[in-house]
């Protein structure tokens, strides 16, 4: 594991309780959210043509964090596994699994050296994790390795334009073309900062194709609060209605 990854792992072990508490509170539902990229109302699902029903499929979530995608996809009937480098995040994932009462496994590991055999899965996804990976090519090669021929990979990361954008002023205050690394201070109380690599869309696309993936669909979607509300709702800056929050790739191995 690289020095960047080791630092990020220590940060996530410190941050995990606070992050998951905020995530679980950020919902109007009575239960903690567990969204799956394969739900029919998930960003890009209706437009893609490579997945219809995930029931019975072997699925892995790469960089699963609190296990939301793993649990949500298990709810859809997949045989689901989540992998993450943070033992504290995995503790939250197992708690979420037990809360939902689904059958899902969680294992500790790094996305650049996955603890799985070749051709192990039919489906894979990753949500807001690969922007923390310094060796993107190696991580994508691993994702390709563990997928069966024809397997589907859904990769979502924060949109690099969103990350370069200052919502309060409505201006771009960072270099969109500078992929990093960039260090983010989550809290002065934590011993580590979060290291991220905000790669331009063309860098991401070219890395995916070089890894052997056939990109079927690219989706740039808004912040969920923006998509669900009128401009100005929840006190969000109006500028957020003008830029995408995340970018999602639908691919076939």
């Amino acid at each position: 594991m690289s020095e960047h990854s080791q630092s990020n792992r220590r940060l996530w072990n410190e941050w995990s309780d606070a992050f998951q508490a905020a995530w679980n509170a950020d919902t109007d539902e009575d239960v903690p959210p567990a969204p799956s990229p394969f739900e029919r109302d998930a960003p890009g699902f209706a437009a893609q043509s490579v997945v219809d029903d995930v029931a019975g499929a072997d699925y892995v979530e790469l960089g699963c964090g609190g296990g939301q995608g793993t649990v949500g996809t298990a709810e859809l009937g997949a045989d689901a596994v989540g992998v993450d480098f943070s033992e504290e995040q995995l503790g939250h994932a197992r708690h979420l699994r037990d809360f939902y009462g689904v059958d899902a496994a969680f294992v500790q590991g790094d996305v650049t050296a996955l603890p799985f055999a070749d051709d192990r899965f039919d489906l894979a996804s990753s949500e807001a994790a690969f922007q923390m990976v310094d060796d993107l090519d190696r991580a994508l090669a691993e994702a390709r390795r563990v997928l069966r021929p024809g397997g589907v990979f859904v990769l979502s990361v924060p949109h690099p334009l969103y990350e370069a954008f200052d919502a309060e002023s409505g201006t771009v205050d960072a270099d969109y073309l500078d992929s990093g690394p960039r260090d983010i201070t989550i809290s002065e109380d934590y011993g580590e900062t979060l290291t991220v690599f905000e790669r331009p869309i063309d860098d991401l696309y070219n890395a995916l194709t070089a890894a052997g993936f056939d990109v079927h669909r690219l989706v740039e979607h808004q912040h969920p609060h923006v998509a669900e509300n009128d401009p100005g709702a929840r006190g969000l800056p109006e500028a957020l209605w003008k830029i995408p929050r995340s970018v999602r790739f639908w691919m076939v191995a």
Side-chain angles (χ1 to χ4, degrees):
M1 189 183 296
S2 71
E3 291 184 10
H4 286 309
S5 293
Q6 292 180 48
S7 175
N8 281 345
R9 175 185 169 188
R10 291 191 293 268
L11 182 278
W12 275 109
N13 281 337
E14 289 188 280
W15 186 23
S16 182
D17 287 349
F19 179 88
Q20 294 300 333
W23 169 269
N24 291 339
D26 191 20
T27 177
D28 295 327
E29 304 296 329
D30 294 330
V31 297
S36 168
F38 304 103
E39 292 171 338
R40 296 198 173 274
D41 60 351
F45 186 90
Q48 58 83 32
S49 60
V50 291
V51 176
D52 181 35
D53 185 0
V54 304
D58 292 320
Y59 160 76
V60 62
E61 183 180 15
L62 305 176
C64 67
Q68 285 82 9
T70 310
V71 170
T73 306
E75 279 236 294
L76 297 177
D79 185 2
V81 178
V83 59
D84 199 89
F85 62 7
S86 165
E87 52 267 42
E88 294 298 323
Q89 288 281 74
L90 290 172
H92 284 282
R94 295 183 180 106
H95 178 76
L96 184 69
R97 172 196 63 194
D98 296 343
F99 184 93
Y100 272 81
V102 297
D103 186 11
F106 291 98
V107 298
Q108 188 169 7
D110 184 71
V111 295
T112 63
L114 293 171
F116 306 117
D118 295 357
D119 303 334
R120 167 68 176 78
F121 299 101
D122 304 301
L123 304 171
S125 76
S126 182
E127 182 81 27
F130 272 50
Q131 77 279 5
M132 292 178 279
V133 176
D134 52 348
D135 193 342
L136 179 64
D137 292 340
R138 184 173 175 183
L140 293 177
E142 280 291 275
R144 178 66 183 82
R145 178 183 66 79
V146 301
L147 277 170
R148 294 167 184 145
V152 173
F153 182 28
V154 183
L155 174 66
S156 181
V157 294
H159 200 290
L161 182 58
Y162 182 94
E163 297 301 295
F165 191 74
D166 185 309
E168 296 297 336
S169 66
T171 60
V172 174
D173 66 352
D175 186 351
Y176 170 84
L177 299 175
D178 181 6
S179 62
R182 180 168 73 93
D183 291 329
I184 301 172
T185 299
I186 303 300
S187 170
E188 297 291 348
D189 296 330
Y190 298 154
E192 304 285 348
T193 57
L194 181 68
T195 302
V196 296
F197 301 83
E198 291 145 354
R199 300 170 176 94
I201 300 297
D202 61 343
D203 282 0
L204 292 170
Y205 178 86
N206 290 332
L208 291 167
T209 58
F213 288 104
D214 181 9
V215 179
H216 276 233
R217 182 72 56 175
L218 185 155
V219 184
E220 296 174 296
H221 50 100
Q222 290 178 303
H223 192 294
H225 292 335
V226 172
E228 296 165 6
N229 295 279
D230 295 329
R234 298 181 184 246
L236 293 172
E238 186 175 353
L240 289 182
W241 269 257
K242 301 177 181 178
I243 57 172
R245 173 66 181 87
S246 301
V247 57
R248 180 167 295 190
F249 298 85
W250 287 82
M251 298 163 284
V252 174

